[in-house]
Amino acid sequence: MTTNHDDDADAPEPSEDQRRAATPGGGTAPEPQPIEPAAPEEFGLVQAWWGDGKGKTTAAMGMGFRAAGHGYRVHMLQFMKGGADSVEGVRGEYNAIAAVPGFSYENAGHYGWHGLLDGSADDEHEAKAAAAFERAEALVAGAADADLTEPLPLDGDPEAGVHVLILDELLYAADRGLVDPDDVVALAESKPEGLELVLTGSHAEPDYLDGVADLITNVRKVAHPFDDGQRARRGTEY
């Protein structure tokens, strides 16, 4: 059987409406829908966000909000974020997370920042980081016991399974020796197939994740207002 390519050449060009109708969205602008429990079809990667630029946690939470908007169960566990004297005792992201079904969080840091003379004790940082890592292991184990191909209750205990687990600042904890990088690798390799695992933190490249993480993004600083003495601002940094 032969094909007459001249016929194809003579075919009229599709109209703009026809081209838009042929796209996956049918050319229709998306509209907000009620958030109902659902299960993702293609989750299961390991992501790592590192670098000296602002936006690692912000990017991870942005993905968390996007996933929660589809009805997927999301949980964020924060390492090394127990408070600091540079910001107020309120975080805009916590208020926003509390308002979104299916998205929950907890933080397991010690006041201040490890290695700095800010009134905090480094041994307390180490204890908090160790406890947080044990909690991360429990959350990954809970996901392994759950059926991640099915919708999960939006108000369910995160230990009963989540589709997305964000371990915020874990890479910083590993960089500062509060968590063993080999343990981070073991945790990533132990996760169940359907769990999307997102790791953030560290100005130093986490080369121990080469061949382990599916996505590694370097958030690079070009300019930062902190360098000119600008302190953290309500609504952008907290």
Side-chain angles (χ1 to χ4, degrees):
M1 178 178 178
T2 60
T3 300
N4 188 339
H5 294 288
D6 290 339
D7 291 344
D8 294 336
D10 294 338
E13 284 290 323
S15 68
E16 177 64 21
D17 286 343
Q18 289 172 324
R19 283 196 294 268
R20 293 185 66 190
T23 65
T28 303
E31 296 182 358
Q33 302 293 327
I35 296 177
E36 302 289 346
E41 296 180 0
E42 298 181 297
F43 276 15
L45 302 184
V46 176
Q47 302 188 25
W49 293 73
W50 72 282
D52 63 354
K54 169 180 165 59
K56 301 178 287 293
T57 295
T58 304
M61 286 193 296
M63 284 188 290
F65 280 113
R66 178 177 287 158
H70 285 290
Y72 309 152
R73 186 68 176 90
V74 182
H75 187 69
M76 178 173 67
L77 170 63
Q78 294 188 305
F79 289 68
M80 302 179 69
K81 281 187 175 173
D85 62 2
S86 61
V87 297
E88 303 170 42
V90 63
R91 302 290 191 277
E93 61 265 37
Y94 297 166
N95 296 338
I97 287 171
V100 175
F103 200 162
S104 56
Y105 77 93
E106 59 190 293
N107 71 46
H110 180 50
Y111 170 84
W113 195 254
H114 179 263
L116 298 184
L117 299 177
D118 54 12
S120 61
D122 284 355
D123 57 349
E124 286 295 322
H125 283 289
E126 294 170 6
K128 288 283 189 179
F133 193 78
E134 289 182 5
R135 174 64 172 162
E137 291 176 318
L139 291 167
V140 170
D145 290 338
D147 184 354
L148 301 185
T149 66
E150 293 293 329
L152 297 171
L154 299 181
D155 59 353
D157 186 330
E159 266 194 68
V162 296
H163 297 115
V164 181
L165 178 60
I166 301 169
L167 300 180
D168 184 42
E169 311 294 16
L170 172 58
L171 303 184
Y172 269 128
D175 182 43
R176 303 199 66 82
L178 302 176
V179 172
D180 190 328
D182 289 341
D183 291 339
V184 177
V185 171
L187 182 70
E189 292 179 338
S190 72
K191 78 166 194 61
E193 184 175 342
L195 175 65
E196 192 83 4
L197 184 63
V198 183
L199 315 175
T200 78
S202 184
H203 286 189
E205 183 173 1
D207 51 13
Y208 52 88
L209 291 176
D210 290 349
V212 177
D214 301 281
L215 179 153
I216 300 177
T217 297
N218 179 2
V219 181
R220 185 172 64 90
K221 181 184 77 170
V222 176
H224 201 305
F226 284 7
D227 295 337
D228 294 326
Q230 172 71 58
R231 292 173 70 85
R233 295 176 298 156
R234 183 172 182 151
T236 59
E237 279 75 49
Y238 68 92

